[in-house]
Amino acid sequence: MKKSTSRASNKLPLSLSFDSRAPKADVLVVFATEGDKAPKFCASARVLDDASGGALVRASTADNFHGKKGQMLTLAGPAKISAKHVIVVGLGKAKETTHRDLERTALPLVQALHARKAASVSISGFDEIEFKDADSAQAAAHYGVALQLSSYRFDKYFTRGGREKKPSLTKAHLVLKNAAAAKKIYAVEEKVAHGVYLTRDLVSEVPNVLYPESFAAIIKRELSPLGIEVRVLDVKDMTKLNMGALLAVGQGSARPPRLVTMRYNGGKKGQKPVAFVGKGVTFDTGGISIKPAPGMEDMKWDMAGAGAVVGVMKALAARKAKANVVGVVALAENMPGGKACRPGDVVGTMSGQTVEILNTDAEGRLILCDALTYTQEKFAPSHVVDLATLTGAVLIALGQEFAGLFSNDDAFANNLRKAGSAVGEELWQMPLHDAWDKSIDSPCADIKNISGNRDAGSAIGAHFLKRFIKDGTKWAHLDIAGMAWTGKDRLATPKGASAFGVRLLDQFVRDQLEK
Ligand code: BES
Ligand code: MN
Ligand code: ZN
């Protein structure tokens, strides 16, 4: 069995080119917008319609194609055109089209191409649409990224199934006049896609292969070459630092916990860093407070917060962001066993506070509290964002459309929210309350790790973490339990690991630290 992610670390599946003329390809893709009665074909579509003796217009009538957002018209074996297929992608009402509308078409298009076993595609018309929020070079570059992200698959464990399972599409040509400008933008955006791929590989990886030690080794292998200083703390180091809560979660497993720090200095010397802290529970059985069997396999992605932190560090370093950023991930496997912590145990933490563990399944907050203390003491960050698949309750509150956002600073929270909206990773700010803070006072220690009832479960988790935030540190907690793994295809994200947080935090760094 392969020991780690096997993807060549900087290779995306599609070889992309930006061209000013359409090269030959298996499939030609063109655009149409929505008209009153019939679709409005863009210029490149009209050229193909003429060449094929009006086949596109006939097909659009026959197929009820109006050029609506998300509609796709496919013509197989068109006469007098060398390509095997022509696909017309509908973009909705002209002048209302955003580059996000365009991006939304990438995943269905990739799937349509795959279904037809196309190896190459040539996409024309970026100059023919007026996007509300982008010029043609930006639109084409972002479309290129969306095609890459839509082509993600985790297939390293298939040995049979032949070609069906292997992606057929290897080449995409994006055609526009200012190909050089698009290429330049893409060269930067592609680095973010590398980060997303790393995160998706980590989050998809199976739990007998990804565990704290192997996770730490992948971080070293992936990030050190980019000039990121990676340090790995083991059980001995953590014992010295009194990380009793993190150690308690890890002690039931044969695979010892780790804490990994990643330091990237691309900004001004002496400027305080921003810190991203991730929950990395490589498998969450619940421990002695064991989870029910159905669906437990999902808990392999209980390290998605840590995965996102690693991915965004990769993106930032690869695109040489002008910012000082620290990543910290707490890695542990939450298992029951003879050495596991019990409900009722009281442990010390690096902060000096004691914690009564009443439910061993509320383990994310336990590993994060020591990671948060360490982050603040070691790096004195101005801002801290933690990402964690912390509570099932956030799924009840926000479903799979928003991650929960808690913060001690509204301006900071707003900036995160804005960054999320800009990249299609939405956050919804949720409240903190003194009464909830009180509800985690323990009768026999400083804090207990659950309140004892089901009320405001996500906020209780946030309040636990807040007890470990120093005065003056701006802090935000993203509960990504509903977003880390998607049950349905969404924007440039096929079913599965989403890498939620990577693009959001990259955008936050651009907006707030690089301006
Ligand atoms: N990793 C889980 C939260 C989770 C649940 C993530 C479902 C993704 C999908 C977390 O460690 C957990 O078990 N939380 C408990 C907390 C409770 C014991 C206070 C929960 O949500 O039930
Ligand atoms: Mn748990
Ligand atoms: Zn968990």
Side-chain angles (χ1 to χ4, degrees):
M1 197 78 124
K2 286 167 218 160
K3 271 275 183 290
S4 66
T5 47
S6 59
R7 196 182 300 277
S9 89
N10 288 319
K11 205 156 167 354
L12 295 172
L14 301 180
S15 105
L16 275 198
S17 72
F18 296 90
D19 308 282
S20 47
R21 279 160 182 277
K24 273 203 164 158
D26 289 349
V27 178
L28 302 179
V29 172
V30 289
F31 299 111
T33 56
E34 185 179 350
D36 287 336
K37 291 198 189 87
K40 290 188 201 147
F41 287 119
C42 293
S44 305
R46 289 199 301 272
V47 170
L48 292 179
D49 186 54
D50 286 347
S52 61
L56 276 189
V57 168
R58 279 198 304 279
S60 68
T61 316
D63 254 8
N64 201 26
F65 176 81
H66 293 278
K68 288 192 176 134
K69 244 182 231 182
Q71 257 191 325
M72 248 181 339
L73 175 71
T74 305
L75 204 65
K80 305 213 176 86
I81 292 175
S82 64
K84 293 177 194 148
H85 295 87
V86 171
I87 296 180
V88 188
V89 171
L91 293 173
K93 294 251 158 59
K95 298 210 173 100
E96 287 173 20
T97 312
T98 63
H99 80 278
R100 179 66 47 75
D101 294 327
L102 176 67
E103 275 175 60
R104 233 178 266 291
T105 68
L107 180 52
L109 177 62
V110 164
Q111 288 167 342
L113 294 168
H114 181 58
R116 288 167 182 84
K117 293 205 162 51
S120 58
V121 62
S122 176
I123 307 169
S124 303
F126 297 98
D127 296 315
E128 300 157 19
I129 300 144
E130 232 182 273
F131 296 101
K132 264 173 90 175
D133 56 352
D135 61 30
S136 55
Q138 288 165 328
H142 282 104
Y143 202 59
V145 174
L147 291 171
Q148 296 286 20
L149 296 182
S150 300
S151 302
Y152 180 81
R153 21 172 80 223
F154 183 74
D155 54 10
K156 64 187 274 199
Y157 295 119
F158 291 124
T159 64
R160 276 178 294 172
R163 315 203 56 208
E164 253 324 275
K165 290 197 172 120
K166 294 281 169 227
S168 53
L169 189 68
T170 56
K171 263 199 189 115
H173 307 283
L174 291 88
V175 184
L176 74 163
K177 279 197 209 99
N178 202 346
K183 200 171 166 181
K184 208 170 146 197
I185 300 168
Y186 177 78
V188 176
E189 300 303 326
E190 180 191 39
K191 309 297 187 199
V192 182
H194 287 311
V196 168
Y197 263 71
L198 174 56
T199 302
R200 287 185 185 169
D201 280 348
L202 286 165
V203 175
S204 307
E205 189 52 275
V206 297
N208 56 326
V209 172
L210 193 80
Y211 47 91
E213 273 181 283
S214 63
F215 197 162
I218 294 171
I219 297 173
K220 264 211 161 139
R221 189 191 76 205
E222 288 282 335
L223 300 189
S224 301
L226 295 169
I228 294 177
E229 191 189 309
V230 179
R231 285 198 54 212
V232 181
L233 306 195
D234 62 14
V235 171
K236 231 171 115 192
D237 300 321
M238 292 190 275
T239 307
K240 262 193 219 144
L241 290 162
N242 297 317
M243 294 187 171
L246 202 168
L247 289 166
V249 174
Q251 77 193 33
S253 168
R255 289 160 166 173
R258 292 286 185 267
L259 185 114
V260 183
T261 66
M262 299 148 254
R263 193 171 193 164
Y264 169 69
N265 291 324
K268 288 202 191 81
K269 239 188 149 175
Q271 188 160 53
K272 284 189 170 181
V274 164
F276 301 144
V277 180
K279 168 179 173 181
V281 173
T282 58
F283 195 74
D284 181 12
T285 64
I288 297 299
S289 314
I290 199 161
K291 287 182 180 297
M296 201 199 271
E297 66 280 5
D298 283 351
M299 287 299 109
K300 76 169 184 180
W301 48 263
D302 207 18
M303 38 55 68
V309 169
V310 174
V312 75
M313 294 306 291
K314 173 161 183 167
L316 293 171
R319 71 169 181 79
K320 300 192 165 62
K322 292 192 171 52
N324 297 334
V325 183
V326 168
V328 175
V329 293
L331 310 178
E333 186 178 53
N334 189 21
M335 296 288 265
K339 291 185 181 164
C341 64
R342 294 151 287 260
D345 282 3
V346 172
V347 297
T349 64
M350 184 182 173
S351 72
Q353 303 174 90
T354 53
V355 173
E356 184 186 18
I357 301 174
L358 285 177
N359 189 318
T360 64
D361 197 13
E363 84 297 340
R365 59 200 75 179
L366 295 173
I367 66 169
L368 281 173
C369 74
D370 280 327
L372 287 168
T373 304
Y374 185 76
T375 302
Q376 293 169 93
E377 295 213 347
K378 175 94 181 164
F379 302 107
S382 59
H383 295 71
V384 175
V385 184
D386 75 72
L387 296 94
T389 48
L390 205 70
T391 65
V394 81
L395 267 144
I396 308 294
L398 301 174
Q400 302 199 31
E401 302 303 329
F402 296 91
L405 160 65
F406 297 86
S407 178
N408 60 4
D409 186 284
D410 283 341
F412 180 27
N414 273 330
N415 288 336
L416 284 166
R417 234 165 20 82
K418 256 187 265 162
S421 289
V423 301
E425 296 186 338
E426 302 283 352
L427 303 176
W428 192 270
Q429 192 175 358
M430 296 169 82
L432 296 163
H433 197 287
D434 283 346
W436 295 331
D437 178 69
K438 276 218 177 58
S439 76
I440 50 172
D441 281 340
S442 157
C444 79
D446 296 330
I447 320 172
K448 52 185 181 180
N449 78 331
I450 55 166
S451 66
N453 64 53
R454 287 151 54 90
D455 292 358
S458 302
I460 299 296
H463 274 286
F464 183 94
L465 300 176
K466 188 166 175 285
R467 294 252 184 144
F468 297 85
I469 300 300
K470 295 183 176 173
D471 285 344
T473 304
K474 291 182 176 166
W475 160 76
H477 158 59
L478 311 187
D479 193 333
I480 61 169
M483 305 307 291
W485 191 272
T486 165
K488 62 169 193 212
D489 293 339
R490 27 176 84 238
L491 178 69
T493 307
K495 269 201 262 277
S498 67
F500 186 96
V502 174
R503 279 161 291 174
L504 186 160
L505 294 176
D506 174 71
Q507 188 65 42
F508 174 79
V509 169
R510 291 184 201 214
D511 294 347
Q512 302 303 321
L513 305 179
E514 296 186 274
K515 284 252 161 79

